[in-house]
Amino acid sequence: MLHIQSNSFLRRQLFSFSGLYERRWRFNAVIARGVSYSPPCLSRHDALAPSLRSGTISTEIVENMANNAVVKENSWDSSLSRSYESVMEALSSLITGRKRGDTSATGGRYTKLERMTMYLKILDLEEKLAGLNIIHVAGTKGKGSTCAFSEAILRECGFRTGLFTSPHLIDVRERFRVNGVDIAEEKFLQYFWDCWDQLKEKVTKDLPMPPLFQFLTLLAFKIFINERVDVGIFEVGIGGEKDSTNVIKEPLVCGISSLGMDHMDILGDTLGKIASHKAGILKPNVPAFTVPQLPEAMGVIKGRAQQLKIPLDVVQPLSCRELHGLQLSLAGDHQFVNASLAVSLCKSWLQRTGNLEKLFSNDVREVDLPDAFLRGLSSAHLPGRAQIVHDVISKSSETTGDLIYYLDGAHSPESMDACARWFSKTVYGHQKSASFSSLKSLSEDRIGKKYSKNDFTDCGKGNNDKITKQILLFNCMEVRNPQILLPNLVRTCASSGVHFSGALFVPSISSYNKVVSGSSFSSLNKPSPNLSWQYNLQRIWENTINEKDFDLDENGLMNSIKNESNDVSPPLKFLHGDSPLSSAAVPSLSLAIKWLRECAKENPSIRLQVLVTGSLHLVGDVLKLLRR
């Protein structure tokens, strides 16, 4: 008689292999006649199931499974579906709905990291983390870029890489890259349900299912361990000391990118407090690297390193000379800092794994970067950061070059400054080669599909004598401070001679209470029922442009938010001559994109350069719409 450890697991295997997913009555029909099938693959959990290996389940065993099965109503388990959309439903159920900044314990008596450790034990991953040879990176801005550069460098050195970053822009699988490619859907489903089922069986009052980011972190460990990567590169979510990724106890090297004022509701209202959280990833006996910081932040980081008695190196930005004429694949002057941090992290990793001298015995001088490093720095990609997309609105050559989107998910004061500098230089053509490099990397959709030639083209092509108009497409989360972000953007661009002709303020499509797949566009055309935040952004923008003081109410919103029109189209004044600046709160992002396309079609003498910024969620939503 077969010993069944998990009736629910075997039941799901039965339905997965037989293809009977949809209704329970089909399950009963299978029981009535017995089942014979040939499973395509068997997981480690099938070791105790010789009947599964033989490809046959007896009627007696199936009857026992049916008698012991518990079907939960109104859940993805009840449908017995293993589809990708059911994964989205499952992930959405892990969004707690707690407000950001709420530090109350989700799991009762245990802290977050205690729960993470318990989850690792359930998944049998705790003892295997050390085998990932992890690079751990925290920071306010640039940590994602640093991780992307590090991954590309080590992959070019011949190592199998695993990269975990957040958030995703279009599809959740973007967060898990193996050897530079998003995890395949088939493998993602396998690893997801394996983790989900094991954790679901161990749920208690004090140990509930992990919230979304904790689950995704655990899933990254699972994927990289099973995919046998040589190096795991992990970007911290928020903070560091109490972040879910800080369950990593023995990284090989740690890095801290540039720090600034962000997530203050969680990390504190001073740079010192924020630095304290970020420096929490530093570990005894693990070398650490950081970039030049403001004195308040640097003092905290150095203090933590001294307390742990570990070396802390402050790396300086790479120079053009060190790159031997190559362009960094990620645009913007700030990327020279991130690239330098990545180089130091990779050299330290190679040294600690005994590979530095082995691979580069004659090419490791401080003044030289090995060819593999240069290839990595010139090929790394990270969607949504200084990304250029040309929206081809017609097959007619007359419209080529009319509508160009410049996408950057900047959402902190420091990153907004960097975004503004990049945009200003790029729209004036000061970095045409870098822009072309960024666009070329976009031409093949690194998020799993290829863009059609009818969707994007080189922004350098087209009629150069067209009049250019810069438009802002903006939204930010309500925990951000637009009274800092928008003035920073305006001042930095104006100092470079870039003055916006108009601004559109839109709600994001992406909701913060649901995870959707890259092919799900159910809410693209749904107008927001409440545009009060967008009208607030618009009024802050107008006061900034007109150099007026902000008049705020007790909730931090602009007073006199009136004339909330139901018009579905923004004004067209900014397209013609020197008419006064126009701005509008638009009910939906899809409406704003449609309107911009119509403007470009109706004004062939004008090239619209649209800066999309304020939120990575907004950038992802725009990419979804342009990709349709």
Side-chain angles (χ1 to χ4, degrees):
M1 191 67 182
L2 175 66
H3 174 65
I4 300 178
Q5 281 193 325
S6 170
N7 290 320
S8 62
F9 171 78
L10 290 177
R11 188 182 74 242
R12 282 189 294 269
Q13 290 295 315
L14 168 64
F15 278 86
S16 176
F17 296 141
S18 64
L20 305 177
Y21 302 111
E22 300 302 327
R23 310 192 190 284
R24 193 177 178 184
W25 65 265
R26 294 191 180 186
F27 180 62
N28 294 330
V30 172
I31 294 173
R33 64 177 179 268
V35 177
S36 178
Y37 65 96
S38 298
C41 62
L42 296 175
S43 72
R44 292 175 303 172
H45 300 282
D46 297 326
L48 297 176
S51 294
L52 289 180
R53 289 196 298 272
S54 67
T56 303
I57 294 184
S58 69
T59 301
E60 179 183 8
I61 292 175
V62 175
E63 288 175 348
N64 288 337
M65 292 164 58
N67 292 334
N68 292 319
V70 177
V71 179
K72 298 181 178 181
E73 297 296 333
N74 301 319
S75 72
W76 44 90
D77 285 334
S78 65
S79 69
L80 300 174
S81 173
R82 305 275 92 175
S83 71
Y84 198 70
E85 288 304 321
S86 68
V87 170
M88 301 301 102
E89 294 179 25
L91 287 175
S92 297
S93 74
L94 300 181
I95 299 175
T96 63
R98 295 161 63 228
K99 293 183 178 180
R100 294 179 60 182
D102 182 1
T103 57
S104 61
T106 302
R109 57 188 286 192
Y110 302 115
T111 67
K112 179 195 293 185
L113 292 181
E114 287 173 340
R115 292 195 308 275
M116 285 294 292
T117 300
M118 296 168 74
Y119 295 138
L120 286 173
K121 290 179 180 178
I122 292 172
L123 297 173
D124 191 28
L125 299 176
E126 185 181 27
E127 301 301 323
K128 301 174 183 177
L129 285 190
L132 289 178
N133 300 315
I134 289 172
I135 295 175
H136 200 191
V137 182
T140 302
K141 60 174 182 174
K143 61 183 184 292
S145 298
T146 298
C147 289
F149 279 130
S150 299
E151 185 278 330
I153 289 171
L154 292 178
R155 177 161 40 88
E156 289 291 342
C157 288
F159 297 97
R160 184 170 174 81
T161 59
L163 175 63
F164 177 64
T165 59
S166 61
H168 62 274
L169 299 183
I170 296 179
D171 195 288
V172 70
R173 291 184 295 112
E174 298 166 35
R175 298 178 185 241
F176 316 95
R177 283 195 217 162
V178 177
N179 248 15
V181 180
D182 301 343
I183 186 71
E185 183 173 316
E186 182 179 357
K187 287 187 175 182
F188 176 78
L189 288 171
Q190 174 188 342
Y191 294 133
F192 173 87
W193 289 116
D194 199 6
C195 286
W196 181 271
D197 294 340
Q198 291 182 69
L199 292 172
K200 199 72 173 176
E201 289 176 359
K202 299 295 184 180
V203 165
T204 67
K205 179 180 179 181
D206 289 325
L207 190 67
M209 285 294 285
L212 179 62
F213 186 75
Q214 293 178 39
F215 184 91
L216 295 176
T217 303
L218 294 164
L219 184 56
F221 294 141
K222 173 75 172 181
I223 291 172
F224 296 159
I225 287 171
N226 281 269
E227 288 295 311
R228 302 178 184 276
V229 302
D230 298 312
V231 54
I233 302 165
F234 283 80
E235 176 191 359
V236 169
I238 295 177
E241 185 171 21
K242 296 181 180 179
D243 186 72
S244 300
T245 64
N246 209 32
V247 73
I248 299 168
K249 300 300 181 185
E250 298 177 341
L252 284 194
V253 59
C254 294
I256 299 177
S257 65
S258 299
L259 300 184
M261 304 300 289
D262 194 22
H263 299 297
M264 293 180 288
D265 54 326
I266 299 173
L267 306 179
D269 56 1
T270 69
L271 196 55
K273 291 178 182 178
I274 292 172
S276 180
H277 279 276
K278 306 290 184 180
I281 70 166
L282 304 185
K283 302 292 189 303
N285 305 312
V286 177
F289 296 85
T290 190
V291 299
Q293 308 279 2
L294 292 174
E296 184 180 0
M298 187 63 79
V300 173
I301 298 172
K302 287 184 175 180
R304 181 66 63 90
Q306 291 172 358
Q307 181 183 1
L308 296 172
K309 299 180 180 179
I310 59 173
L312 174 70
D313 287 346
V314 180
V315 302
Q316 299 302 314
L318 285 180
S319 66
C320 295
R321 179 184 57 80
E322 292 175 286
L323 293 173
H324 299 288
L326 289 176
Q327 294 282 346
L328 292 176
S329 57
L330 302 180
D333 292 342
H334 57 290
Q335 295 295 357
F336 287 92
V337 177
N338 302 325
S340 180
L341 180 57
V343 166
S344 295
L345 292 171
C346 290
K347 282 186 176 181
S348 179
W349 186 90
L350 288 167
Q351 187 174 44
R352 298 204 76 197
T353 57
N355 287 292
L356 187 62
E357 293 290 339
K358 186 186 304 182
L359 292 175
F360 309 112
S361 57
N362 298 319
D363 195 17
V364 293
R365 290 178 299 162
E366 290 294 328
V367 295
D368 290 327
L369 289 177
D371 288 344
F373 278 55
L374 294 174
R375 291 195 302 270
L377 293 172
S378 60
S379 64
H381 65 281
L382 191 65
R385 284 78 166 179
Q387 185 174 10
I388 302 173
V389 176
H390 177 207
D391 188 0
V392 179
I393 56 177
S394 170
K395 294 182 179 180
S396 170
S397 60
E398 286 78 15
T399 61
T400 300
D402 286 345
L403 184 56
I404 306 170
Y405 292 91
Y406 299 79
L407 303 109
D408 192 275
H411 51 265
S412 69
E414 295 82 7
S415 60
M416 190 60 71
D417 286 339
C419 169
R421 290 194 299 271
W422 162 74
F423 177 68
S424 299
K425 294 181 71 173
T426 305
V427 297
Y428 271 108
H430 294 164
Q431 293 181 333
K432 289 182 179 178
S433 59
S435 299
F436 178 76
S437 175
S438 298
L439 191 63
K440 184 178 180 182
S441 68
L442 179 68
S443 63
E444 292 188 0
D445 181 7
R446 304 302 183 99
I447 307 176
K449 297 181 180 179
K450 288 188 176 181
Y451 291 111
S452 166
K453 290 182 179 179
N454 293 328
D455 293 330
F456 306 104
T457 188
D458 177 13
C459 66
K461 297 178 182 178
N463 191 350
N464 290 326
D465 60 4
K466 291 186 178 183
I467 300 170
T468 61
K469 298 282 186 178
Q470 287 80 44
I471 311 298
L472 176 66
L473 184 61
F474 187 90
N475 190 36
C476 66
M477 295 178 65
E478 294 187 26
V479 295
R480 308 294 180 195
N481 188 347
Q483 300 160 44
I484 297 177
L485 297 181
L486 289 172
N488 278 12
L489 175 63
V490 171
R491 283 194 298 266
T492 304
C493 287
S495 67
S496 300
V498 173
H499 302 277
F500 290 93
S501 297
L504 305 179
F505 300 96
V506 295
S508 292
I509 298 169
S510 298
S511 62
Y512 304 106
N513 58 7
K514 187 174 182 180
V515 180
V516 298
S517 68
S519 59
S520 175
F521 299 103
S522 59
S523 60
L524 286 182
N525 298 311
K526 184 178 180 181
S528 172
N530 184 355
L531 291 179
S532 59
W533 178 247
Q534 281 66 44
Y535 282 109
N536 182 53
L537 296 174
Q538 181 188 6
R539 192 56 56 89
I540 292 173
W541 170 263
E542 291 177 350
N543 281 18
T544 299
I545 295 297
N546 296 317
E547 299 182 346
K548 293 182 179 180
D549 294 331
F550 299 138
D551 182 17
L552 307 179
D553 64 18
E554 64 275 8
N555 297 316
L557 297 177
M558 294 292 297
N559 283 322
S560 303
I561 300 178
K562 300 177 181 177
N563 301 320
E564 297 185 5
S565 172
N566 291 323
D567 292 344
V568 295
S569 297
L572 289 168
K573 295 179 182 177
F574 70 85
L575 290 178
H576 306 289
D578 297 322
S579 298
L581 177 81
S582 296
S583 65
V586 186
S588 73
L589 178 58
S590 59
L591 183 62
I593 297 294
K594 179 181 179 181
W595 180 80
L596 285 167
R597 285 173 168 170
E598 290 175 351
C599 286
K601 286 181 180 179
E602 295 173 5
N603 296 272
S605 64
I606 295 176
R607 175 177 292 113
L608 296 182
Q609 298 172 318
V610 183
L611 174 61
V612 182
T613 190
S615 165
L616 276 167
H617 294 285
L618 174 63
V619 167
D621 291 341
V622 170
L623 288 173
K624 288 177 186 177
L625 281 164
L626 297 183
R627 194 171 111 156
R628 295 180 69 189

